[in-house]
Amino acid sequence: MKSLLLFLLLCSTILPFAVEGAIRRYKWEVKYEYKSPDCFKKLVLTINGRSPGPTIKAQQNDTIIIELTNHMLTENVAIHWHGIRQIGTPWFDGTEGVTQCPIQPGEIFVYRFVVDRPGTYLYHAHYGMQREAGLYGMIHVGLPDGELEPYYYDYDRSIVLTDWYHKSAAQQATGLASIPFVWVGEPQSILIQGRGRFNCSTPGLESGLCNATQPECSPHVLTVVPNKTYRLRIGSLTSLAALSFEIEGHNLTVVEADGHNVEPFVVKNLFIYSGETYSVLVKADQDPKRNYWTSVKVVSRDSNTPNGLAIFNYYPNHPRRAPPTIPPVGPGWNDVAPRVAQSQATLALKGYIHPPPQTSDRVIVMLNTQNNVNGFRRWSVNNVSFTHPYTPYLIALKENLLGFSQVEPPSGYKADYDIFVVQNNTNATTSNGIHRLEFNSTVDIVLQNANTMNVNNSETHPWHLHGHDFWVLGYGAGKFDVNIDPKKYNLVNPIMKNTVAVHPYGWTALRFRADNPGVWAFHCHIESHFFMGMGVVFEEGIEKVGKLPSSIMGCGAAKFNRRP
Ligand code: C2O
Ligand code: CU
């Protein structure tokens, strides 16, 4: 009798969680097409003919199956599901060189994973600098039926932001990896939902390449009904630019960051870094007889890229009717204080706080520097610049193939390093060694910014961790003090994120549990910085990783490991 009661009790508590999510299948054809997203014609990497690619819309616990065909003639591909932790499926993280071999021309590859948390996420190519060729999009994961968000809105909309170069990813990558070094420069345009506007009367353009009357490059329009509240999911996948997003005359209430509910706060403009997502609530509460500008500005770099513009259209005004005003110029590019203030204001919503472990087992301090290594311009962590191995780590480790350095990179840097001056960093090296974390341990990472190789210059670096969300314990100015600064950590209501900014000359501290068996990249989300070595790789619980699918193999030392 007692056991029957217990059985019934167990059923009633377990069953609601045992409900399996839906299966959502997609067939994606990846290929190059000529397109003119900012009126300038160039090759764009598309999914089913589109860039940005289709938004994946799912509910918590659904299984996403993407059957990808690589229709490019001469390029490999791999797609990363940014913000999805891939619990139990580390081989479908889509990180070429880390979790899989590249998908070759003509091949079909099937990604299959569960979206286990509600929120706003991204996807993008993760092979060389291919992301900026246009292969990117958004993932929306809704709550299960019957559950409600802790805030109210009438409509759900989304916008993905990128910056756009007219040079191909291959041209840029080649320049970065050459002696002399050729920097990619500032992007030509900002794209809002894949649409931008380059000035076609720029002198020196080859004729026929730029056409300002192209419908493809007419501005993105967001139509709103007066007095309704919109949840706007905003994601950034810029290759370089940090951005400020604003809608003329409208307040933005921040409610979500990287899939976590935020204690709401109101801003005029939202700062967003590559790899981040936010949801803001915006009420259509202004004069409905006109339209308004949405303006996106490059910050943190002295950029000549014009602001990206879209139209915030009040129904029933004509969607293309230009607002009667001059678009907002946005904040000063070098005004760091409001950016730090927004970072610090982003805290977990009461009732949705995941309390962090109060102590950690290990601290890794990562000094971010620019270096010259053997004549090449590189970015480094503790003077070690990351290089990809030929055999992806997950395969190398699981199948006991060597293929990468067994020397772990340093967990800190020289105490007397001056972060405020140009250093010659003559001891910098390259390595593909990785950090091996004890399974289930709690790891603190302190990202320390420094001066670049130019005087009085320190940049913003958005660092992204694969396979986890981390707690953001704090931000500070100057050099991190290991004795004093940890006492100021927020251990009460830190937000959890997967991407976080390290501000100029500052540090950012984060904590995560090494509880997801696999091999995970952690890197600056600026495409050129990661390409130049600004990243590390963590291994945790490799012995707990299940049997690898043969589809991820076929390269490096795993070349002959492909099972039929
Ligand atoms: Cu969205 Cu490894 O990146
Ligand atoms: Cu960076």
Side-chain angles (χ1 to χ4, degrees):
M1 184 60 196
K2 217 169 154 192
S3 61
L4 178 67
L5 263 180
L6 190 67
F7 176 75
L8 288 175
L9 191 76
L10 273 176
C11 287
S12 63
T13 52
I14 289 171
L15 271 180
F17 300 101
V19 171
E20 292 230 341
I23 293 189
R24 295 181 194 267
R25 290 173 187 277
Y26 299 84
K27 257 190 190 304
W28 285 4
E29 316 271 324
V30 171
K31 63 171 182 306
Y32 276 108
E33 286 186 21
Y34 276 107
K35 288 196 173 290
S36 307
D38 66 347
C39 307
F40 181 91
K41 186 162 130 193
K42 70 167 270 200
L43 284 176
V44 178
L45 192 47
T46 61
I47 296 170
N48 299 342
R50 296 164 57 186
S51 171
T55 298
I56 295 177
K57 289 192 177 157
Q59 276 175 300
Q60 188 174 7
N61 297 326
D62 286 355
T63 298
I64 309 295
I65 301 178
I66 284 140
E67 186 187 303
L68 182 154
T69 310
N70 179 1
H71 284 289
M72 286 180 283
L73 297 174
T74 58
E75 255 178 64
N76 300 328
V77 68
I79 300 187
H80 170 56
W81 317 95
H82 176 119
I84 308 299
R85 293 174 298 170
Q86 301 291 356
I87 295 167
T89 51
W91 44 77
F92 289 145
D93 188 48
T95 314
E96 188 277 329
V98 178
T99 62
Q100 72 167 98
C101 293
I103 305 163
Q104 294 169 22
E107 282 191 337
I108 296 176
F109 187 93
V110 181
Y111 287 102
R112 184 190 174 111
F113 54 88
V114 173
V115 287
D116 63 332
R117 298 198 68 262
T120 309
Y121 307 101
L122 304 161
Y123 65 81
H124 58 80
H126 211 301
Y127 179 59
M129 288 176 62
Q130 202 176 50
R131 181 177 95 214
E132 57 184 79
L135 208 177
Y136 67 96
M138 287 185 112
I139 304 174
H140 296 181
V141 184
L143 288 165
D145 286 337
E147 283 183 44
L148 289 178
E149 304 282 5
Y151 40 87
Y152 178 79
Y153 53 91
D154 299 292
Y155 298 102
D156 193 341
R157 296 284 184 270
S158 68
I159 279 182
V160 61
L161 307 170
T162 47
D163 48 11
W164 195 245
Y165 288 89
H166 292 170
K167 282 206 170 113
S168 70
Q171 281 173 304
Q172 292 183 48
T174 304
L176 295 174
S178 292
I179 299 175
F181 175 75
V182 184
W183 173 236
V184 298
E186 296 301 312
Q188 277 65 59
S189 308
I190 298 299
L191 303 187
I192 301 177
Q193 202 54 36
R195 290 162 178 276
R197 181 152 276 260
F198 182 70
N199 179 2
C200 287
S201 26
T202 304
L205 287 185
E206 198 183 313
S207 77
L209 277 186
C210 201
N211 175 0
T213 61
Q214 196 94 242
E216 262 184 80
C217 61
S218 65
H220 174 71
V221 176
L222 181 70
T223 300
V224 294
V225 174
N227 289 313
K228 295 293 182 194
T229 299
Y230 289 78
R231 173 189 188 168
L232 205 53
R233 301 172 189 257
I234 307 170
S236 171
L237 282 173
T238 53
S239 32
L240 176 67
L243 300 173
S244 162
F245 173 98
E246 70 186 292
I247 302 172
E248 186 187 12
H250 292 74
N251 283 329
L252 310 173
T253 305
V254 180
V255 292
E256 184 214 341
D258 294 2
H260 289 272
N261 292 316
V262 168
E263 191 62 41
F265 63 97
V266 178
V267 292
K268 284 244 59 113
N269 65 289
L270 177 81
F271 295 107
I272 183 165
Y273 307 96
S274 183
E276 285 190 314
T277 67
Y278 289 93
S279 283
V280 298
L281 301 181
V282 48
K283 189 164 188 210
D285 58 1
Q286 296 300 302
D287 176 6
K289 290 189 289 299
R290 50 162 289 197
N291 290 340
Y292 297 82
W293 292 111
T294 297
S295 179
V296 180
K297 183 190 190 210
V298 177
V299 292
S300 189
R301 303 181 63 87
D302 190 4
S303 176
N304 55 5
T305 310
N307 285 15
L309 297 176
I311 295 176
F312 196 69
N313 160 240
Y314 272 67
Y315 182 82
N317 299 331
H318 192 279
R320 300 246 180 275
R321 193 165 104 205
T325 42
I326 292 169
V329 285
W333 71 267
N334 56 357
D335 201 356
V336 182
R339 305 206 299 267
V340 176
Q342 182 189 306
S343 292
Q344 284 172 334
T346 309
L347 299 167
L349 175 63
K350 274 181 220 74
Y352 293 82
I353 297 169
H354 302 276
Q358 297 293 297
T359 57
S360 74
D361 300 308
R362 179 172 180 186
V363 180
I364 304 177
V365 183
M366 298 188 174
L367 174 69
N368 294 194
T369 56
Q370 234 178 17
N371 309 73
N372 282 329
V373 183
N374 303 327
F376 292 98
R377 177 63 61 90
R378 303 285 301 176
W379 279 96
S380 302
V381 173
N382 298 332
N383 276 341
V384 175
S385 186
F386 177 76
T387 54
H388 278 85
Y390 287 107
T391 311
Y393 295 105
L394 183 63
I395 304 170
L397 286 162
K398 194 69 200 166
E399 310 279 309
N400 287 316
L401 311 165
L402 285 172
F404 66 92
S405 163
Q406 298 303 302
V407 180
E408 182 156 343
S411 295
Y413 63 96
K414 281 213 342 269
D416 61 356
Y417 190 97
D418 186 346
I419 64 158
F420 293 101
V421 300
V422 177
Q423 299 270 357
N424 56 16
N425 292 329
T426 43
N427 55 346
T429 54
T430 57
S431 170
N432 56 21
I434 65 174
H435 292 281
R436 309 213 42 182
L437 306 176
E438 195 180 324
F439 186 65
N440 261 333
S441 62
T442 302
V443 181
D444 280 7
I445 306 285
V446 179
L447 293 158
Q448 176 67 61
N449 214 335
N451 208 101
T452 62
M453 294 184 76
N454 305 313
V455 275
N456 292 325
N457 179 249
S458 181
E459 300 181 5
T460 306
H461 304 284
W463 278 77
H464 170 61
L465 178 58
H466 291 220
H468 306 77
D469 293 336
F470 48 73
W471 290 275
V472 183
L473 300 184
Y475 301 85
K479 200 163 156 180
F480 178 77
D481 185 322
V482 76
N483 297 311
I484 297 169
D485 290 320
K487 301 199 174 80
K488 296 182 246 167
Y489 283 169
N490 175 6
L491 299 172
V492 179
N493 61 344
I495 189 74
M496 294 192 83
K497 296 188 94 244
N498 61 60
T499 306
V500 72
V502 184
H503 295 289
Y505 297 111
W507 54 263
T508 299
L510 50 99
R511 177 169 291 177
F512 69 96
R513 292 288 306 263
D515 58 1
N516 189 7
V519 185
W520 308 107
F522 178 51
H523 61 89
C524 176
H525 213 264
I526 292 177
E527 193 81 315
S528 47
H529 289 185
F530 182 42
F531 183 79
M532 292 162 72
M534 200 171 203
V536 295
V537 167
F538 298 121
E539 172 273 324
E540 67 209 45
I542 188 72
E543 62 290 340
K544 294 187 172 56
V545 171
K547 186 169 180 287
L548 302 181
S550 57
S551 62
I552 66 166
M553 299 187 193
C555 62
K559 184 139 188 160
F560 304 108
N561 257 44
R562 183 176 291 225
R563 292 176 288 256

